[in-house]
């Protein structure tokens, strides 16, 4: 196991990635090579390791080693382990959420849009969802409620930002995802690409002439892309016009809409449960 290096000064250079560098600098940490990101808590770190992400260093709160932490340390036996007391650790951003352990990890090579879509039947498309908390929550719902993949436009918050990964409970490492890019830009080329693959597209939006979330045409669709927009502005008018359906979730008590993360959970459950049911039936037939 790698030696443990005690840190007593919050200003130590070893703590820069954990304590002082903003997400944009971490993203370009090794430029022109891939950057790094910070995973917080044993559960999130463990899911990243399960997915094959490469650890670079660990930061552990002194005296807080438990079974979960010990397992992570064993799996990262060849990387530096920095140990800091509470007086240093408590100064870290989001200290209360770290569960006494953080890990600096190398960013992966992103999948291409075609790679993410290959074999998928239910896809979530996020258009300019800028709040990392919302992005993390949407990923958690997508992984739990039968979405096969997530595609993000360039205006979205990065799923590997520490708050997004933390809120997702590490599910950003479990479900395939990528950004639309120059090869397949959003919206025109991206929408056309999805349709060539046989996806029907459903825009979640407050508009007239919408269909209800439980419309049989949606639930029975062989391939479906659920398109969600940012808080406030929602989806672009061009995106809504290009989608096959505009979908609305029925509201009561005079409420006009849900937070995008909450709306995603409702949509993924309703529009993905047929796929979950088919997968369950297939699994039972194999047993």
């Amino acid at each position: 196991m790698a030696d443990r290096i005690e840190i007593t000064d919050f200003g130590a250079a070893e703590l820069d990635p954990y304590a002082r560098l903003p997400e944009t600098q971490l993203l370009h940490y090794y430029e022109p090579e891939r950057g790094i990101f910070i995973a917080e808590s044993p559960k999130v770190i463990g899911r990243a390791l399960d997915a094959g992400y490469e650890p670079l260093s660990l930061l552990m709160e002194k005296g807080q080693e438990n079974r979960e932490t010990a397992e992570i340390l064993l799996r990262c036996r060849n990387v530096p382990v920095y140990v800091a007391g509470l007086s240093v650790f408590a100064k870290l951003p989001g200290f209360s959420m770290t569960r006494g352990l953080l890990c600096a990890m190398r960013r992966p090579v992103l999948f291409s849009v075609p790679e993410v879509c290959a074999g998928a039947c239910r896809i979530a498309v996020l258009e300019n969802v800028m709040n990392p908390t919302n992005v993390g929550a949407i990923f958690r719902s997508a992984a739990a409620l039968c979405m096969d993949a997530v595609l993000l436009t360039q205006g979205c918050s990065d799923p590997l930002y520490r708050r997004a990964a933390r809120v997702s409970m590490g599910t950003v490492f479990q479900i395939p995802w990528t950004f639309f890019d120059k090869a397949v830009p959003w919206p025109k080329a991206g929408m056309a690409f999805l349709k060539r693959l046989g996806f029907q597209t459903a825009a979640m939006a407050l508009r007239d002439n919408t269909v209800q979330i439980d419309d049989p045409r949606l639930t029975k669709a062989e391939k479906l892309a659920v398109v969600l927009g940012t808080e406030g502005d929602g989806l672009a008018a061009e995106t809504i016009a290009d989608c096959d359906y505009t979908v609305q979730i029925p509201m009561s008590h005079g409420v006009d809409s849900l937070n995008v993360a909450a709306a995603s959970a409702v949509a993924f459950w309703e529009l993905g449960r047929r796929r979950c049911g088919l997968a369950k039936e297939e699994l039972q037939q194999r047993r």
Side-chain angles (χ1 to χ4, degrees), residues 107-118:
R107 282 180 167 268
V109 175
L110 286 180
F111 292 112
S112 68
V113 172
E115 286 172 332
V116 166
C117 292

Side-chain angles (χ1 to χ4, degrees), residues 6-133:
E6 187 164 0
I7 304 293
T8 58
D9 179 9
F10 185 71
E14 292 88 344
L15 292 187
D16 284 350
Y18 297 100
R20 283 172 288 278
L21 296 184
E23 300 284 8
T24 50
Q25 284 187 256
L26 295 176
L27 181 62
H28 301 288
Y29 196 77
Y30 290 123
E31 204 165 48
E33 300 297 324
R34 290 172 284 135
I36 67 175
F37 67 95
I38 305 298
E40 302 175 329
S41 83
K43 182 178 290 293
V44 173
I45 297 167
R47 286 180 170 168
L49 293 173
D50 290 343
Y53 285 68
E54 178 188 353
L56 299 172
S57 68
L58 289 161
L59 175 60
M60 181 176 68
E61 183 182 354
K62 190 175 183 178
Q64 294 300 308
E65 186 171 339
N66 55 31
R67 181 183 58 80
E68 281 187 312
T69 300
E71 289 176 356
I72 298 298
L73 294 174
L74 186 62
R75 297 178 68 180
C76 300
R77 59 171 62 92
N78 296 319
V79 305
V81 179
Y82 304 118
V83 181
L86 181 60
S87 62
V88 171
F89 219 87
K91 296 177 182 178
L92 294 171
F95 156 70
S96 61
M97 304 293 184
T98 63
R99 301 288 298 276
L101 190 67
L102 301 92
C103 185
M105 310 188 96
R106 190 179 295 275
R107 282 180 167 268
V109 175
L110 286 180
F111 292 112
S112 68
V113 172
E115 286 172 332
V116 166
C117 292
C121 294
R122 291 290 184 270
I123 288 177
V125 177
L126 309 188
E127 182 179 85
N128 300 335
V129 179
M130 295 171 281
N131 187 312
T133 298

Side-chain angles (χ1 to χ4, degrees), residues 113 116-117 120-127 129 135 137-143 145-153 156 175-180 186 194 199-202 204 223-229 235 260 263-265 267-269 271-272:
V113 172
V116 166
C117 292
C121 294
R122 291 290 184 270
I123 288 177
V125 177
L126 309 188
E127 182 179 85
V129 179
V135 169
I138 292 169
F139 264 83
R140 189 173 182 181
S141 293
L145 301 172
C146 301
M147 294 294 108
D148 298 314
V150 179
L151 297 173
L152 304 98
T153 69
C156 286
I175 185 168
W177 62 271
T178 197
F179 285 93
F180 288 101
W186 183 263
L194 290 175
F199 281 92
Q200 296 182 63
T201 49
M204 303 298 300
K223 290 185 174 184
L224 187 68
V226 183
V227 189
L228 299 128
L235 290 170
V260 65
S264 75
F268 297 162
W269 161 245
L271 301 176

